[in-house]
Amino acid sequence: MQNRQVLFVKRPVGAVTPDVFELRDAAVPEPADGEVLVRNIYLSCDPYMRGQMGESGYSRGPFELGLPLPARVVGQVEKSRRDGFAEGDYVWGFLAWAHYSCQPADMPLWHVDPAHGPISHGISVLGMPGLTAYAGMLKYGKAQPGETVFVSAASGAVGSVAGQLGRIAGARVVGSAGSDAKVAHMKDVLRFDEAFNYKEMDIGAALDKHCPDGIDVYFDNVGGETLDAVLARLNEHARLPICGQISEYDVMNSADQYGIRNFPNLLRKHATVTGFSVRDNMDMFDEFVLRMAALMKSGDVVYTEDIVDGIENAPDAFIGMMRGENIGKRLVRVGEDPTLG
Ligand SMILES: NC(=O)c1ccc[n+]([C@@H]2O[C@H](COP(=O)([O-])OP(=O)(O)OC[C@H]3O[C@@H](n4cnc5c(N)ncnc54)[C@H](OP(=O)(O)O)[C@@H]3O)[C@@H](O)[C@H]2O)c1
């Protein structure tokens, strides 16, 4: 048995390119006492990983060169030498882009219950991206009936849930994303009130058209020009959960970073800006899973996963996600999912 891995071998400058990664075949590790060998099934492609590819690592510390890329992964226990985990259990954890990962004794793993839905949901709508949207919209955005909520990158893993939670709160929801197919998805599948393609329109003009009464909640996934245009259109006591700044990730800490001009409007409008991390909100996890599972069951929240097959395609899947190829959560399936009929 071979263990194909994707190594992180080069720190990107600007956009991530294929030579940042290298495929390698290694032996499948044998778990030591306290360790769990996981057969990986779904690998997550997350924008925050771009930050960790840089020297500074952004908020989490840089990825080490020459090692399999660390990531959230759902898999199945192949061999266990840890209490509480048995062969065949479905789990998720911070594992690696590889066919197999051996989770060290001091690193946590969590069970994924297939009774709650597809096991991939453990790293999508019922996992980190879902909780990010839930905390961002409910705790920091506090959308109210009749308000206008605007979400950027709104057809993606986090934005698609954030917008739907705004709709469920009774707000009028407007989304932006980078293709007409995404606009159709936001309107027809996610049931947003309005959506626009930010690559085809002047963002300020689009906001004037689709948010004629101003913006009460801005769920920011992208930063840059979009954030600046929103700042000029805030209502009194607007709330801005700052979830991500993806338009800046490739140029972070360089002179190419976008310079925000409309900052003074935050003062004029008595607005609240909250930069937040999902990691600050783990205390909401149990409440979130119960509520989100119920919303999925009732059909009030729908979720799309954009799955690429094959570990050798993981680098392109990540690069494509950063470029906006994905609708919904971008995952890579690297092994058989026995829960699929
Ligand atoms: N605070 C937290 O704890 C936390 C947790 C998870 C995620 N996040 C952040 O949330 C954001 C969304 O993450 P996600 O996992 O849901 O990813 P996603 O939206 O599924 O995928 C990323 C999307 O970003 C868009 N994008 C790329 N470059 C852009 C640019 N220059 N301007 C505008 N949009 C651009 C692309 O769509 P388009 O076609 O629309 O360009 C792409 O599909 C990211 O900023 C991420 O870092 C934060």
Side-chain angles (χ1 to χ4, degrees):
M1 239 171 13
Q2 285 290 308
N3 184 20
R4 182 154 282 198
Q5 304 171 323
V6 179
L7 307 183
F8 173 59
V9 295
K10 185 179 156 193
R11 298 204 184 282
V13 177
V16 178
T17 45
D19 59 347
V20 161
F21 309 96
E22 210 170 273
L23 283 174
R24 175 180 75 179
D25 287 325
V28 177
E30 195 56 38
D33 202 28
E35 294 185 348
V36 182
L37 178 68
V38 179
R39 181 181 68 80
N40 297 333
I41 302 175
Y42 295 101
L43 315 180
S44 187
C45 293
D46 288 301
Y48 77 84
M49 295 161 76
R50 171 65 187 88
Q52 288 188 275
M53 290 176 187
E55 288 283 350
S56 75
Y58 198 34
S59 63
R60 291 164 190 250
F63 286 146
E64 264 184 68
L65 289 166
L67 295 181
L69 203 73
R72 287 179 168 84
V73 171
V74 165
Q76 189 170 29
V77 174
E78 183 88 0
K79 289 181 188 171
S80 174
R81 295 192 60 194
R82 187 187 295 187
D83 288 347
F85 293 90
E87 192 183 317
D89 285 358
Y90 294 105
V91 291
W92 84 268
F94 288 92
L95 302 173
W97 280 14
H99 278 142
Y100 292 89
S101 297
C102 199
Q103 189 69 328
D106 58 349
M107 287 291 287
L109 266 182
W110 295 269
H111 280 99
V112 172
D113 186 349
H116 289 159
I119 55 172
S120 52
H121 283 183
I123 50 172
S124 65
V125 64
L126 296 181
M128 185 279 281
L131 178 59
T132 305
Y134 187 84
M137 186 54 75
L138 301 188
K139 184 169 159 187
Y140 306 115
K142 298 190 180 81
Q144 302 298 312
E147 288 189 330
T148 298
V149 166
F150 173 53
V151 182
S152 52
S155 69
V158 173
S160 62
V161 180
Q164 292 181 88
L165 291 173
R167 165 171 53 71
I168 290 162
R172 188 173 166 279
V173 176
V174 178
S176 68
S179 74
D180 292 345
K182 291 183 178 188
V183 170
H185 183 75
M186 289 186 275
K187 291 178 80 166
D188 301 342
V189 179
L190 305 177
R191 289 173 283 153
F192 290 4
D193 294 279
E194 295 293 345
F196 66 89
N197 177 349
Y198 73 93
K199 290 182 179 165
E200 294 291 320
M201 300 178 73
D202 174 81
I203 297 170
L207 291 174
D208 287 339
K209 178 176 172 196
H210 295 300
C211 308
D213 299 326
I215 296 165
D216 298 290
V217 178
Y218 173 45
F219 192 105
D220 186 17
N221 284 316
V222 306
E225 191 184 350
T226 305
L227 173 59
D228 214 12
V230 169
L231 290 179
R233 291 162 177 82
L234 295 178
N235 287 337
E236 192 70 18
H237 297 297
R239 284 85 63 204
L240 293 87
I242 306 294
C243 174
Q245 302 277 291
I246 196 167
S247 72
E248 306 297 301
Y249 293 170
D250 286 340
V251 292
M252 203 58 95
N253 301 323
S254 80
D256 292 333
Q257 250 183 257
Y258 187 90
I260 297 284
R261 302 174 66 164
N262 293 313
F263 203 79
N265 220 27
L266 292 170
L267 171 60
R268 203 172 305 132
K269 295 295 182 178
H270 303 95
T272 305
V273 181
T274 313
F276 74 99
S277 160
V278 66
R279 288 172 291 162
D280 308 334
N281 291 286
M282 294 312 293
D283 57 328
M284 296 177 83
F285 189 78
D286 292 345
E287 162 206 325
F288 148 75
V289 167
L290 284 177
R291 175 117 192 261
M292 191 58 65
L295 289 170
M296 293 279 294
K297 200 167 173 200
S298 65
D300 289 309
V301 169
V302 294
Y303 199 73
T304 301
E305 291 178 331
D306 185 324
I307 298 177
V308 171
D309 276 299
I311 194 159
E312 58 287 349
N313 297 320
D316 283 347
F318 180 84
I319 292 168
M321 180 276 299
M322 293 298 290
R323 285 188 188 145
E325 254 176 26
N326 59 307
I327 294 187
K329 171 68 190 162
R330 174 57 58 97
L331 297 170
V332 183
R333 185 165 37 219
V334 298
E336 187 212 344
D337 176 352
T339 67
L340 299 178

